[in-house]
Amino acid sequence: MLTRYFKQVQERLETVEKNEKPTMLAAAKKVATAIQAGGIIHLFGCGHSHVLTEEVFYRAGGLVPIKPIFIEPLMLHEGAVQSSLLERQHDYAASFLQDQDFRPGDIVFVISTSGRNPVPIDVALAAREKGAFVVGLTSLEYSRSQSSRHETGKHLFNTVDLVIDNHSVLGDAVLAYEGVEIPFGPTSTVVGATILNAIFAEAIKEMADAGFAPPIFLSGNIDGADEHNSKLIETYSERISLLS
């Protein structure tokens, strides 16, 4: 199983690189342009999708102007089942969207592998309404196989400006074994983390090529990092309070 899982992940990463490279490059250009113009990058996801918003936040070797949207009832630690139920609720997003500082020129990544639940869709719609450019990270195979739970009948992929397909299978699990009735071995997190880090790496190159110094965190476990990082944090702390 160990070898089979590695193979499945590798195959999905190769599929993403082959099929999603144009959209990832487009996303990277948008990210680079936004940062050079003083914008920031927001990320939102529910349940396990929120893990990806933490992966790229305050990250050694990662971009500084990253703002994850942390809504604790939609995570897992306050109640896993409850978080799933809340994600399906119409208008639940209204309880926190008024606090989000989406602006024209910002980029918003909305992450949902199934792409069918109301809350991520409402976040995407709200961000676009405020003039931000919205990127959806989702699975088209998964989304197209399941009806939308949103009142408009739309999925995430048809509510955003740019769609990146993580090529997850229906149900996310890629492994099977004799005597085990339920598929197992999800891939959306490892593939999603690779997609986001690849986009931001390309954005850093774009900024450097344009003669703009990319704002990158240095690992806090390297001498001199605190001074380097504190200057960058000060630059963005007004809009990203979580950096304080």
Side-chain angles (χ1 to χ4, degrees):
M1 282 298 110
L2 190 152
T3 299
R4 286 179 60 187
Y5 182 74
F6 267 83
K7 183 178 179 181
Q8 286 286 345
V9 169
Q10 289 164 356
E11 287 177 356
R12 261 146 197 81
L13 289 173
E14 290 169 1
T15 297
V16 167
E17 184 180 11
K18 177 181 178 181
N19 293 283
E20 305 305 314
K21 189 172 183 179
T23 52
M24 289 192 294
L25 287 170
K29 287 182 181 295
K30 287 288 185 180
V31 167
T33 299
I35 293 174
Q36 289 176 89
I40 65 173
I41 315 303
H42 310 255
L43 296 102
F44 176 80
C46 301
H48 284 92
S49 293
H50 108 270
V51 173
L52 296 178
T53 75
E54 293 200 54
E55 157 62 21
V56 295
F57 174 61
Y58 193 57
R59 194 70 160 88
L63 289 168
V64 178
I66 300 291
K67 184 179 183 181
I69 301 172
F70 291 153
I71 309 301
E72 294 197 19
L74 292 170
M75 299 179 189
L76 302 172
H77 62 280
E78 289 190 354
V81 173
Q82 181 69 6
S83 71
S84 293
L85 295 175
L86 289 175
E87 184 183 0
R88 301 175 186 178
Q89 282 191 14
H90 295 290
D91 300 323
Y92 181 79
S95 67
F96 61 85
L97 278 172
Q98 68 271 17
D99 300 323
Q100 305 311 313
D101 182 26
F102 300 135
R103 301 182 188 180
D106 287 349
I107 310 296
V108 181
F109 285 82
V110 180
I111 306 160
S112 172
T113 293
S114 74
R116 67 185 304 213
N117 290 315
V119 170
I121 293 170
D122 283 340
V123 171
L125 291 170
R128 290 187 73 189
E129 186 176 335
K130 291 187 176 182
F133 184 88
V134 181
V135 180
L137 178 53
T138 189
S139 166
L140 293 179
E141 176 185 332
Y142 202 143
S143 296
R144 288 169 174 159
S145 71
Q146 303 293 301
S147 62
S148 172
R149 290 178 172 141
H150 195 268
E151 57 192 357
T152 64
K154 292 183 177 181
H155 289 77
L156 181 63
F157 71 82
N158 49 26
T159 58
V160 299
D161 296 297
L162 183 69
V163 179
I164 299 174
D165 190 351
N166 66 15
H167 291 268
S168 293
V169 300
L170 174 62
D172 202 6
V174 294
L175 297 178
Y177 190 68
E178 183 179 354
V180 181
E181 296 182 2
I182 306 298
F184 55 98
T187 62
S188 61
T189 301
V190 63
V191 173
T194 303
I195 289 171
L196 290 174
N197 280 301
I199 289 170
F200 295 157
E202 183 68 24
I204 288 168
K205 172 188 176 295
E206 289 277 338
M207 286 182 268
D209 288 346
F212 182 87
I216 304 170
F217 278 120
L218 189 61
S219 170
N221 296 310
I222 293 177
D223 290 343
D226 290 348
E227 182 181 2
H228 169 87
N229 292 339
S230 64
K231 292 177 182 178
L232 291 171
I233 289 171
E234 184 177 354
T235 300
Y236 293 101
S237 59
E238 182 181 349
R239 294 201 63 194
I240 309 176
S241 59
L242 288 169
L243 287 173
S244 304

